[in-house]
Amino acid sequence: MLADKSEAKSEVQVDNDEVRVTEWRLAPGSATGHHTHGMDYVIVPVVAGEMTIVAPDGERSKAQLAAGKSYFRKAGVQHDVLNETATEIVFLEIELKPRYA
């Protein structure tokens, strides 16, 4: 893990009753910080790149991002996301809010 990682930048673009769309920018050496996803979500990479994913137990894995190639995850995912590359990582996170009838 990086010893002096900086914090990733986020900007909420849409937040309504159905979805929250957040743009994430991870400069080289930055990280999101450990977090748990409270909602199902879709990630839409804006640029190609490689993220390092750190699980709660410290296990590390690499995730390859292809620009425009989305993927879906269920609520409950716990991790930290790091950029250990020399280029900025940019993606949109679309959180799907539960509907109550």
Side-chain angles (χ1 to χ4, degrees):
M1 189 176 278
L2 298 174
D4 59 346
K5 62 186 176 187
S6 61
E7 190 173 319
K9 306 287 186 217
S10 65
E11 177 186 352
V12 175
Q13 297 179 343
V14 176
D15 193 356
N16 59 34
D17 291 340
E18 286 113 13
V19 299
R20 180 184 308 132
V21 179
T22 305
E23 178 188 68
W24 285 93
R25 292 184 169 271
L26 284 78
S30 69
T32 60
H34 183 79
H35 59 280
T36 302
H37 287 269
M39 295 178 261
D40 294 349
Y41 64 101
V42 175
I43 296 296
V44 183
V46 175
V47 298
E50 180 182 81
M51 297 186 304
T52 301
I53 309 299
V54 182
D57 65 3
E59 182 179 337
R60 299 163 64 88
S61 62
K62 301 290 184 177
Q64 299 300 318
L65 301 177
K69 179 102 170 135
S70 304
Y71 62 89
F72 170 81
R73 296 287 184 265
K74 296 292 287 177
V77 172
Q78 297 181 25
H79 58 207
D80 191 0
V81 178
L82 291 70
N83 180 359
E84 297 181 318
T85 73
T87 59
E88 182 179 52
I89 294 170
V90 182
F91 60 88
L92 298 176
E93 175 185 62
I94 303 165
E95 297 173 283
L96 308 172
K97 296 184 179 181
R99 290 189 168 210
Y100 298 98

